[in-house]
Amino acid sequence: METDDGRKIDRKGLEAIRIRAVQRVEAGESPETVIKALGFTRTVIYQWIAK
């Protein structure tokens, strides 16, 4: 089974994903739920939130 990762997404696309992910967390959704739905690692969402 082949999986996609963030390295295959262009810069603008990845930025849009980051913004939406952080907005979802700020709206009250669990960071773990958001990142699991997007397919990134747990550490990534916390880095995005910190920025």
Side-chain angles (χ1 to χ4, degrees):
M1 182 168 108
E2 188 175 322
T3 59
D4 292 327
D5 60 32
R7 295 174 291 187
K8 295 182 181 179
I9 301 172
D10 69 351
R11 186 175 178 164
K12 288 183 181 182
L14 188 55
E15 183 178 356
I17 291 170
R18 288 181 190 133
I19 291 168
R20 279 186 260 143
V22 172
Q23 288 173 339
R24 286 172 62 176
V25 172
E26 288 175 344
E29 198 167 344
S30 163
E32 288 80 14
T33 303
V34 173
I35 209 65
K36 189 174 182 179
L38 296 175
F40 290 91
T41 63
R42 184 175 181 260
T43 306
V44 169
I45 190 73
Y46 290 105
Q47 290 173 349
W48 293 350
I49 293 168
K51 288 182 181 183

